[in-house]
């Protein structure tokens, strides 16, 4: 499963600890997106699709901790 950095960060922010819980959290968040947030909607859809395509055991191997250091470096 090839998860992008942006998908990983999104999953990290909404991760309640289980694959099904994360799918539910992302699905709920998606419902609040405005029409002009198409890029975030696409990222969310991609993350949900990848979560649906993996097992709980595969989910457990993901490193879902936000990497704020990389984000700070990109801003410089």
């Amino acid at each position: 499963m090839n998860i992008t950095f942006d998908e990983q960060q999104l999953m990290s922010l909404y991760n309640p600890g289980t694959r099904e819980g994360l799918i539910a959290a992302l699905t709920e968040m998606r419902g609040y997106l405005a029409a002009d947030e198409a890029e975030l909607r696409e990222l969310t859809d991609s993350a949900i699709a990848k979560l649906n395509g993996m097992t709980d055991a595969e989910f457990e191997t993901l490193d879902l901790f936000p990497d704020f250091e990389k984000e700070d470096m990109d801003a410089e």
Side-chain angles (χ1 to χ4, degrees):
M1 188 68 48
N2 187 16
I3 296 174
T4 68
F5 177 79
D6 290 337
E7 290 167 340
Q8 181 183 3
Q9 293 302 290
L10 181 67
M11 290 180 194
S12 296
L13 292 172
Y14 287 89
N15 183 20
T18 66
R19 184 181 64 85
E20 289 182 9
L22 181 52
I23 292 169
L26 291 173
T27 301
E28 180 181 354
M29 177 274 290
R30 189 188 187 285
Y32 293 105
L33 295 177
D36 64 344
E37 296 177 296
E39 187 175 335
L40 182 53
R41 182 176 292 107
E42 290 173 14
L43 179 64
T44 303
D45 289 346
S46 176
I48 290 171
K50 290 178 181 181
L51 288 165
N52 279 323
M54 69 176 63
T55 65
D56 289 335
E58 290 171 322
F59 174 79
E60 293 296 323
T61 66
L62 298 178
D63 180 20
L64 295 181
F65 297 98
D67 188 356
F68 295 115
E69 183 175 310
K70 171 148 179 32
E71 185 176 299
D72 290 342
M73 289 174 57
D74 289 345
E76 293 177 2

